[in-house]
Amino acid sequence: MTKILLICSAGMSTSFMVEKMKKASKDKNIETDILAIPDAKANEYVGKVDIVLLGPQVKYLLPSMKELFKDTPVTVIDMMSYGTMNGEKVLEDALKLLKGE
């Protein structure tokens, strides 16, 4: 099971993205555990997830989140995919990053 963590400032819009990603995951028969949290709780998930995705609105956190999560891939969700709530594309991008593509 792939554990994906989405981080934003309040967790509202990323909650919608999580639901879209979960649906895409189910449709593709991929086992995932996807969760959205506010950035203030990030330290509680260090070492517990496979990949961290930042909402575009908190891309300024990228350096500090990379430092916090050290060996875990951390990236910013593509603004177009986020803006259109394309959960399938965000899921695909996350899985590609995990595979090193």
Side-chain angles (χ1 to χ4, degrees), residues 26-42:
K26 184 178 178 184
D27 291 348
K28 293 178 176 287
N29 202 25
I30 301 170
E31 282 192 48
T32 58
D33 182 14
I34 308 170
L35 178 67
I37 62 161
D39 62 294
K41 293 189 174 194

Side-chain angles (χ1 to χ4, degrees), residues 1 3 6-7 10 13 18 27 38 41 43 60 63 66 88 91:
M1 177 175 300
K3 295 181 180 182
L6 278 70
I7 296 178
S13 55
V18 165
D27 291 348
K41 293 189 174 194
N43 61 341
Y60 65 90
K66 280 188 171 188
E88 183 176 353
L91 178 65

